[in-house]
Structure formats: structure tokens, C-alpha cells
Amino acid sequence: MLGRRRAGFRSAGITLSEQGCAAGPYGEGIAMVDERPDWARRMVEERAARDWSQTDAVRALMVRLPAEQVVSEQDLLRQWKRWEAGDAQPMKYRSAIAAVFGTTTGAFFPERGRRDGRAEITQVSGMDTVDIIARLRASDVDSATLDALRITADRLCCEYAYMPADQLLVEGKAWLARVVGLQHQRVSLAQHREIVALAGKLALLVGCVEYDSGRPRDAEATRQAALMLGQEAGELSVQGWAHEMRAWFSLTRGDYRGVIAAAEAGISVAPNESVAAQLYAQQAKAWARLGDRSQTEVALDKGRQLLERLPYPENIEDHFVVDPGKYDFYRMDALRRVGENRLAEQLANQVIRAGTDFDGTERSPMRNAEARVTLGVVAAREGDLDAALAHGERALAGDRKSLPSLAMVASDLGQALKAHYANASEAQEFIAHLRELRGDQ
């Protein structure tokens, strides 16, 4: 199997040097540092996953170019080769290249130097937790206090990806109670609206963590409270995310029609907010599980087009901000479900790269876990049991996980193992592990 897959890379026009290795003087493989930009490497990987030659890719690009950018195929092919080598940047062709590969410009060509939520929160607030609580107890609700509360809420939402669920739940509930308590103090109308909106965002966070922790009833009650707070404050984003949570809950329960209905409700409320892109993505997941490939692709493309129209977000670490790279994560899930193994595998590797710091620290452990499940599913389908189990066990071993989401995705790996390795004891042990994760009897 490995030999066949390597041959596939060669047939796609990728040399050994493009894969990051070369033969030494005695024929042994020696690792080489690939100094090309991430987007250049990704151009090669995306093309290889589709079994495209460079000419195939150029022709796909030409279809998406506006009339004023069209040049001859040979001219564009020369440019494409320079882009893949990292010798030149695509610049005016970036959005079209991203569209060729079904993703967003911000995901393919991520912007550097944007806000770091955690660093900014530390620098801007001017108060620590003790100072904020003291002001709240003294009913000192001035603009500085509200700014500190907003930054605190942002900090908690940024920590969702990696903070242990039990710790985040305690802290989130405590701050939610403090903010809700402010509604009964003498404040201006503008301050009241901001307080209600902050309470809505914190309620969203608490509800997400409750659901991650296997407390669906509590999560649903908190979600409904967040929706009402969003309606009271006139905050479309909070309302949209409350509907997104309903779609997520339905997805993990297997209620795919419920996902589509919840997504439609959220999109109708907040059609131009970034949450609408995530609602389209949830629809795509549902359509993929219903076996409708056409509707899956339609939903994914609607979300992609919306993200292309929106400005690049200032704080991509906030859980309630749809960063462009997150769309690769959703596409990965849909493509895995419809059986596009090579595309799903390529995106899984991209998700892990994007969610891991240079020193190996995982910024997005939950996304990475689902990406590893995807790699496991592909390995199982392609006949590599050892790799499938290794990816699966690593995915389940993380400290920070969303139990319902991980169990749902991991069930795909369980099904692949049953289909291909029903009599293997190692596969049976892993499937038993999945039953424990889901709480099956």
C-alpha cells in the first residue's frame, strides 16, 4: 500500500525533493528542510490529492479567473511552477487558487501578525480578576469595568480550545453569575445592552463546555438562556451561535434533519455574521451523513463564499469567531464521510499543521483529535490496521476533548474497522474502547 501511494505522488508530478527528502550518496534517505512557504507546499499537496498534473491545476484555475486576469495557459503554467517552488507569490491569484481547492483565501494564505487574544487580554485590561470583582461588588460599573469584563469574556472564549473542561466550566459559570448580577444595578441603557450581550456570550461558552462534558440537559437549558439574552440585547451573533449549538447537538445525536432546520433558523437570523459560515458547515456535515453529495458541496460552497466576503477576523482564537482555517476542518469531515479518502487525508494533515505550534504544542487539540480520526479512517480503508489504530488511540488520548463530537467522529473509524478487520482482536479492543467513550452498555 505504501508503495502504491508513493507512486501516486510521483504520477502527480511531485519529485522526491518536493516531498522533503532526497537520496544520500549511498542511496539512504536523508531528511531535508523544506523552506518553501506553507502555501506553496499546500499547492503541491492539494494537487496531488486530486491526481492533477500542474497543467490540470492551471486549467482549473483559468476557469475561475476574471476576464482581466486571464493569460495564456503556458504563461500561467510557468507562474504555477514558480509558485509551487516558492520562488514567487500568487498575489492577485490567491482567492482563485483557494477556490480551485475548495477552501478560503484566509485558510490557504493565512495572515500573520493579527491579534493574539491571550496576549492582548493581558496587556489591555489594566485590571486583574481581583480588581474586577472588587469593582463589581462596589457597584462601580463604569466603562473601564465593562471593558475589563468584555476582555475577560474574550479570554475565556479563547481558552475554550485547550483549557480543561472542568476548570473552564467553573470559571465560566462564576463570571456569568457576576455579569448577570449587574443587570439589577443602576446602569445606562447602553451599558445594560452590553451587559446582556456579555451574559449571552458567556452563556454560550458555558453551554458548549457543559455539552463537551456529557451534560446535554444542562447544555440545552443554557443554550436557550443564551438565545433569550441575545434576543434581548439585539445581538445577532449571539442568537446565531445559539442556533449553531442546537445544530451541533442535533448532529451528535444523529438527528440530521434537525441539524438542517437549526442551521436554516440561524442563517435567517444572522445571514451576514461569520456564524452563518459555520451553520452552512453544519448543514454540510448533515447532508454528508444523509448521503447527499450534491447538497454537501452546495452547503460547503455557500459557507466558503460567505467567509470570502467577510474581513479577516481580528482574534482567531475566540471560539465564537469562524477563522478561515476552520473551514478546512469542516471540509475534512464532510469529505471523509462521502469517501474522498485522499482529499480528506490531505486536509487532516493540514488541520494538524495549522493547529500545532512550531514547538509541538497543540493550539487546537480537539480539531487535531478529529483530524487524527480521519487519518485513521483513511488508513483502515486502505488496508493499514496498525496505522489506523495508532491514529485512533492518539485521538482518544487527549486531555481536552468534546466527548459527543469525538465519539461521533470516532464511530466512523469503528465502522471502518468492523468492515475491514472484523476478526482482528486489536480492532475489537478499539471498538470496545469506543463503546466506553459513548457510554454504550
Side-chain angles (χ1 to χ4, degrees), residues 243-401:
H243 288 292
E244 193 279 338
M245 287 173 65
R246 178 184 154 209
W248 171 35
F249 298 171
S250 298
L251 183 70
T252 58
R253 291 196 303 265
D255 177 14
Y256 305 134
R257 295 293 176 181
V259 176
I260 295 165
E264 289 175 349
I267 292 166
S268 68
V269 168
N272 299 313
E273 302 286 328
S274 70
V275 64
Q278 185 144 324
L279 288 162
Y280 283 123
Q282 296 289 31
Q283 280 189 330
K285 284 188 172 188
W287 284 119
R289 285 162 173 79
L290 289 168
D292 194 324
R293 174 73 177 263
S294 176
Q295 290 288 357
T296 299
E297 293 178 349
V298 167
L300 283 174
D301 195 54
K302 284 182 177 179
R304 184 192 66 79
Q305 290 185 46
L306 175 60
L307 283 178
E308 286 289 88
R309 294 195 299 270
L310 295 175
Y312 194 90
E314 291 187 348
N315 186 0
I316 63 173
E317 296 198 17
D318 190 326
H319 179 61
F320 299 107
V321 169
V322 183
D323 64 280
K326 194 173 187 179
Y327 223 64
D328 287 338
F329 170 71
Y330 281 107
R331 288 180 59 239
M332 173 195 75
D333 179 273
L335 290 170
R336 183 190 68 249
R337 286 292 304 193
V338 299
E340 287 283 0
N341 291 344
R342 292 190 66 187
L343 293 175
E345 180 183 34
Q346 185 272 323
L347 283 170
N349 286 320
Q350 176 63 31
V351 167
I352 293 171
R353 278 198 300 270
T356 306
D357 281 329
F358 69 94
D359 60 357
T361 302
E362 297 199 354
R363 296 191 306 272
S364 306
M366 290 184 286
R367 292 189 202 180
N368 287 2
E370 294 191 29
R372 291 188 176 102
V373 171
T374 296
L375 294 176
V377 171
V378 173
R381 290 171 178 170
E382 296 191 346
D384 191 340
L385 175 59
D386 290 341
L389 294 175
H391 288 305
E393 291 292 355
R394 186 172 180 188
L396 301 186
D399 293 329
R400 180 66 175 101
K401 58 174 68 80

Side-chain angles (χ1 to χ4, degrees), residues 197-219:
L198 281 172
K201 186 170 185 178
L202 286 168
L204 291 171
L205 176 66
V206 169
C208 285
V209 182
E210 286 174 335
Y211 199 70
D212 287 340
S213 305
R215 299 167 59 178
R217 291 183 180 178
D218 292 343

Side-chain angles (χ1 to χ4, degrees), residues 188-208:
S188 69
L189 287 175
Q191 287 177 325
H192 177 77
R193 182 185 180 281
E194 183 168 2
I195 289 167
V196 174
L198 281 172
K201 186 170 185 178
L202 286 168
L204 291 171
L205 176 66
V206 169
C208 285

Side-chain angles (χ1 to χ4, degrees), residues 14 19 41 50 58 85 94 101 135 228 271 352 376 394 414:
I14 300 177
Q19 298 177 54
R41 292 196 296 270
R50 291 163 173 77
V58 164
R94 289 183 175 191
F101 297 123
R135 286 198 179 206
M228 289 187 288
I352 293 171
R394 186 172 180 188

